[in-house]
Amino acid sequence: MHFKTIIEPFRIKSIEPIQFSTRSQREEYLRRAHFNPFLLNSDQVLIDFLTDSGTSAMSSQQWAAMMQADESYAGAGSWTRFENAVRDLTSMPYILPTHQGRAAERILYNHLGGAGKYFFSNTHFDTTRANIEFSGAKAVDLPIEEARNFSSDFPFKGNLDVDKLGEWIENVGAENVAAVILTVTNNSGGGQPVSMANAIAVSRLCKSKNIVFVLDACRIAENAFFIHQNENEYKGHTFYLIAQEMCALADACIMSAKKDALVNMGGFLALRNKSLADACTQLLIITEGYTTYGGLSGRDMEAVAVGLKEVFDADYLKYRIRSTTYLGNALKEMGVPVIFPIGGHAVYIESDKLYEHIPVSEYPGQALVCSLYRTGGIRSVEVGSVMFGKYDEKGALIPAEMELVRLAIPRRVYTQSHIDYVVEVFEEIVKTKKQVKGLRIIQEPAFLRHFTAHFEELSQ
Ligand SMILES: *Cc1c(COP(=O)(O)O)cnc(C)c1O
């Protein structure tokens, strides 16, 4: 018997109240946040889909492990458990603990990068791109063609275009390629999975050219679910084994543990090569902390060690992916343009197709983000020209490839009734879409502007 209701594979032991608000309160909160929901207080938010990063609910096993943590400065038992868990997953000998993913990125990409160097990726995530560009290097996105074809139901739209990668390597010279980064799942490319076949092809090409192959493994468990589902050779594998096989292909592995390690803070850099590990360890000690804790407390490392196992639980992963798909399918049915197939951790909406009356230069994605907040207290994030836009010499906007809005779903936090509420809010969003206005940026920093930019609504 197959029941259609998604039941969460856990019961709730500890609850956290959420705050309700009226529409007029939310109008005021939004104005005070300069139309940038990153600047809202969380108690002004009803359903927080801003990010799935660091927002997971931990299990009783994780909390229990935290109580047993060893906070010794060097060689703590918590470090050993963390190191073993990461080593078991990645099969890499050198494990560097960091306080989150971008710290690992800063260490590795600063070391490998610099002026004249190139990084290639299926799509660089925002902190990845920022760290690379900050080093002076160039970050080039090479997603496959199908990634942009929203009518195709190709299951691995997160794949990297290996032919194009080959051409780029020829053009710039292998010695100028700092690294190739495969991000699984492809967060900025619609949260789409990467096939094992693609990872194998990328790995082969990198090996033949002596180029460092980095796996950004933030969502490797969710990616493993899709491989298990859609790549025949892996039907008999456990999710964990699939993830291990993927890590085995890479020279380095970066992970923000705030995603698929089911914790609120943490990350790591795992490396296969000793001289690379030595250089990175120098930077680790200078900027993060001693080698057996990096930027983490013993408690944090315990939670990661347990989370890295729990995330591969079959019941958990099925619930996780089904619940994201449920939301995505409901939106698709009511005519909201979503990226299809639905990815693992988030539903992505093509805001420029929803708001055809708002030009890209007036940030249709930011307009949708504001409208979701006003209408239902839902916080989401723009992944379009606010996040990735640049200016030409004359100050005109060079828009991003896509104008997406991401509804990122925290792990183990919301139940199906929360998701049903979000679906209802979207019915209202669709009904009132013509009244929504575009925005203008009135204040912004040089890097990662989406976090702190201030906006003004345009009158029509
Ligand atoms: C979140 C994320 C990062 C950065 O990790 P932080 O822990 O936020 O610093 C890097 N890459 C990808 C794909 C991510 O999703």
Side-chain angles (χ1 to χ4, degrees):
M1 183 71 205
H2 183 72
F3 296 102
K4 75 175 193 311
T5 305
I6 301 168
I7 69 162
E8 291 74 23
F10 49 79
R11 50 187 184 178
I12 297 164
K13 180 175 283 186
S14 176
I15 63 102
E16 181 183 8
I18 49 181
Q19 305 289 327
F20 291 88
S21 53
T22 63
R23 176 151 183 148
S24 65
Q25 284 173 320
R26 292 195 292 271
E27 292 285 357
E28 177 57 22
Y29 299 151
L30 192 60
R31 236 191 327 275
R32 276 195 259 146
H34 307 281
F35 301 94
N36 184 349
F38 270 108
L39 303 176
L40 290 168
N41 294 334
S42 67
D43 62 2
Q44 298 165 340
V45 175
L46 187 59
I47 304 282
D48 209 343
F49 283 170
L50 186 65
T51 177
D52 64 321
S53 177
T55 52
S56 297
M58 292 211 294
S59 66
S60 46
Q61 284 88 343
Q62 284 175 298
W63 285 108
M66 286 174 81
M67 287 304 292
Q68 293 173 21
D70 174 357
E71 302 296 347
S72 306
Y73 190 91
S78 299
W79 156 248
T80 308
R81 284 183 281 278
F82 174 95
E83 188 187 31
N84 287 343
V86 177
R87 208 176 260 161
D88 191 59
L89 174 64
T90 62
S91 68
M92 295 188 192
Y94 307 104
I95 313 297
L96 284 65
T98 61
H99 78 280
Q100 59 184 99
R102 73 195 65 185
E105 293 181 323
R106 176 176 46 78
I107 290 170
L108 184 62
Y109 302 149
N110 248 312
H111 176 70
L112 296 174
K117 296 281 187 189
Y118 286 83
F119 287 81
F120 300 108
S121 174
N122 42 351
T123 310
H124 292 83
F125 179 65
D126 60 352
T127 60
T128 314
R129 173 173 291 277
N131 272 297
I132 288 169
E133 291 178 350
F134 194 71
S135 85
K138 287 208 161 60
V140 181
D141 292 337
L142 301 174
I144 53 164
E145 292 294 332
E146 284 94 330
R148 295 299 307 274
N149 178 359
F150 301 120
S151 54
S152 140
D153 57 2
F154 182 64
F156 293 110
K157 290 186 183 175
N159 285 358
L160 187 149
D161 191 323
V162 181
D163 292 338
K164 276 198 205 135
L165 176 62
E167 286 164 24
W168 270 94
I169 295 172
E170 289 308 312
N171 288 342
V172 305
E175 67 283 5
N176 295 316
V177 181
V180 174
I181 306 164
L182 198 57
T183 304
V184 302
T185 56
N186 192 8
N187 189 2
S188 301
Q192 298 289 314
V194 175
S195 69
M196 190 71 87
N198 189 246
I200 291 171
V202 172
S203 161
R204 281 212 187 112
L205 182 55
C206 289
K207 275 209 177 66
S208 73
K209 304 280 177 189
N210 222 352
I211 293 169
V212 178
F213 172 29
V214 184
L215 193 65
D216 182 332
C218 288
R219 297 177 183 81
I220 194 164
E222 292 171 4
N223 198 82
F225 180 91
F226 289 105
I227 288 177
H228 183 272
Q229 180 174 273
N230 295 314
E231 256 180 311
N232 279 334
E233 307 88 292
Y234 298 94
K235 291 258 183 294
H237 287 44
T238 61
F239 300 124
Y240 191 64
L241 185 59
I242 293 171
Q244 282 178 313
E245 284 189 26
M246 193 170 253
C247 290
L249 298 168
D251 303 305
C253 186
I254 277 183
M255 185 170 186
S256 166
K258 300 168 72 173
K259 288 43 175 273
D260 266 354
L262 299 172
V263 299
N264 305 120
M265 191 52 72
F268 62 79
L269 168 59
L271 297 160
R272 234 177 258 296
N273 174 287
K274 180 162 190 318
S275 59
L276 188 54
D278 287 345
C280 289
T281 300
Q282 287 278 340
L283 288 172
L284 177 78
I285 297 174
I286 294 169
T287 61
E288 281 285 292
Y290 182 63
T291 55
T292 64
Y293 71 86
L296 298 173
S297 62
R299 291 185 285 282
D300 297 327
M301 294 191 285
E302 294 284 358
V304 170
V306 177
L308 272 183
K309 301 278 185 247
E310 284 184 350
V311 75
F312 289 100
D313 176 76
D315 290 332
Y316 161 74
L317 267 180
K318 276 181 214 152
Y319 139 79
R320 168 72 177 158
I321 306 293
R322 273 191 73 196
S323 143
T324 309
T325 308
Y326 172 86
L327 173 60
N329 285 344
L331 299 191
K332 188 169 189 245
E333 271 161 37
M334 71 173 81
V336 175
V338 293
I339 291 202
F340 207 75
I342 307 301
H345 69 293
V347 174
Y348 290 76
I349 299 155
E350 292 180 89
S351 63
D352 49 336
K353 293 210 180 127
L354 180 69
Y355 294 148
E356 284 172 329
H357 60 290
I358 304 179
V360 167
S361 59
E362 295 175 11
Y363 306 110
Q366 196 68 18
L368 176 56
V369 159
C370 289
S371 194
L372 276 168
Y373 178 68
R374 282 196 169 99
T375 310
I378 299 165
R379 181 154 68 168
S380 56
V381 68
E382 195 260 15
V383 185
S385 291
V386 173
M387 194 181 267
F388 293 120
K390 298 234 157 79
Y391 296 110
D392 66 16
E393 296 94 60
K394 295 195 184 105
L397 178 76
I398 307 168
E401 290 264 298
M402 299 187 251
E403 299 299 331
L404 303 178
V405 164
R406 185 183 75 174
L407 308 174
I409 306 176
R411 295 170 182 78
R412 305 193 292 206
V413 171
Y414 294 114
T415 63
Q416 196 174 349
S417 68
H418 291 111
I419 303 288
D420 284 330
Y421 166 80
V422 173
V423 173
E424 270 188 68
V425 171
F426 265 94
E427 285 165 5
E428 189 63 22
I429 293 284
V430 170
K431 250 187 262 162
T432 55
K433 65 180 181 184
K434 291 265 156 39
Q435 296 148 31
V436 174
K437 302 184 194 91
L439 299 107
R440 183 165 81 85
I441 296 180
I442 54 174
Q443 188 184 309
E444 63 183 299
F447 285 96
L448 298 175
R449 65 177 181 174
H450 56 286
F451 288 130
T452 53
H454 291 186
F455 298 83
E456 194 173 72
E457 276 198 313
L458 296 161
S459 45
Q460 262 161 344

